[in-house]
Amino acid sequence: MSVIEAERVTKIYKEGRFEVPAVQEVTLAAEPGEVLAILGPSGSGKTTLLSMLGCMLRPTSGTIKIHGEQVSDLDERRLPAVRRRYVGFIFQSFNLFSALSASENVEVVLQLKGHDRRARRAETVRLLEAVGLSDRAHFLPRDLSGGQRQRVSIARALAGDPLLILADEPTANLDWKSGEQVIQMLHGITRSEGRTVIIVTHDHRVMPYIDRSVRIEDGKLVA
């Protein structure tokens, strides 16, 4: 079974009397243990597509299934529970809580997913060790380098064992050495744990760590 399947997914925004298609009839699927890249220039619809796959936006039409469950037509009130259950997110701008330490940024996700205090702490230790930040657990984000902050983001995305990891331009704010380390780590951890990873990027230097890629232009998949 595919971890995620999208069939003829479309997103149209309304601007006054006009309709602006951001994504047009995209069909794709990703399998367990696969790292899939969605490539394309800025404004091509990559992030809109990723947001729909992650249940942050509802498509105008088409269907999305995660682990066989159709999620594209769920009520807005049910989508947060779907995200908590199935999806981990990694953002270009890290999106860490500035007042929380590295360990607290990971632990808060586990708390939202219903883990008790002892389980949260043990899993946080394991995840920070997996991303090589055991010695930075009590550091605030401002005291970490960009690469280290993105590694905290990876640990946070893995918290609670989601089937699907979605990464939006995860190397964009990093120098290439740090970006390469982040991609290597993301690829290695997710592969060893059988996760499915979808990366939105226009950075072709990530391609050695990708199993398969698709390209989107003007909201449409192209050959």
Side-chain angles (χ1 to χ4, degrees):
M1 178 191 297
S2 297
V3 169
I4 188 162
E5 301 173 80
E7 184 173 356
R8 302 186 70 176
V9 170
T10 295
K11 184 65 177 179
I12 296 174
Y13 293 105
K14 291 189 175 181
E15 296 185 1
R17 294 178 294 123
F18 300 99
E19 293 187 341
V20 180
V23 173
Q24 302 181 64
E25 298 204 337
V26 168
T27 295
L28 58 79
E31 308 303 318
E34 182 178 29
V35 181
L36 170 68
I38 301 174
L39 308 176
S42 296
S44 60
K46 303 188 303 297
T47 296
T48 298
L49 176 58
L50 198 73
S51 296
M52 289 190 289
L53 297 178
C55 301
M56 298 178 76
L57 282 178
R58 294 179 66 183
T60 304
S61 62
T63 60
I64 297 171
K65 294 181 180 179
I66 301 179
H67 198 52
E69 178 182 352
Q70 185 161 316
V71 298
S72 47
D73 58 356
L74 290 179
D75 185 273
E76 294 280 359
R77 293 171 294 180
R78 296 177 61 189
L79 292 180
V82 171
R83 292 195 294 269
R84 288 194 298 269
R85 181 179 180 187
Y86 290 124
V87 187
F89 294 94
I90 301 170
F91 300 96
Q92 174 180 340
S93 57
F94 316 128
N95 278 26
L96 300 177
F97 295 105
S98 61
L100 300 183
S101 67
S103 62
E104 289 168 337
N105 265 282
V106 177
E107 191 171 338
V108 71
V109 175
L110 292 165
Q111 184 175 6
L112 288 171
K113 294 187 177 186
H115 292 240
D116 64 42
R117 186 175 181 181
R118 179 177 295 181
R120 292 199 306 265
R121 291 190 171 180
E123 182 66 355
T124 296
V125 169
R126 185 188 74 82
L127 288 168
L128 288 179
E129 183 177 349
V131 299
L133 287 178
S134 295
D135 60 342
R136 297 291 188 272
H138 301 297
F139 282 46
L140 293 173
R142 67 168 180 262
D143 299 319
L144 300 172
S145 69
Q148 289 170 336
R149 278 178 274 172
Q150 197 61 296
R151 282 192 269 162
V152 175
S153 296
I154 292 174
R156 185 181 59 183
L158 294 169
D161 297 323
L163 294 173
L164 179 65
I165 305 295
L166 301 180
D168 189 5
E169 300 282 6
T171 63
N173 286 332
L174 305 177
D175 62 79
W176 177 237
K177 182 177 179 181
S178 297
E180 184 176 39
Q181 290 173 346
V182 163
I183 290 295
Q184 285 176 331
M185 184 170 295
L186 179 61
H187 179 272
I189 291 173
T190 54
R191 178 63 59 83
S192 67
E193 297 186 1
R195 322 267 183 165
T196 297
V197 184
I198 300 179
I199 300 175
V200 157
T201 187
H202 63 268
D203 188 345
H204 288 271
R205 296 174 296 182
V206 308
M207 295 312 293
Y209 308 100
I210 300 302
D211 298 314
R212 182 167 60 93
S213 65
V214 297
R215 183 170 181 82
I216 188 169
E217 293 182 4
D218 297 325
K220 299 178 181 179
L221 289 188
V222 296

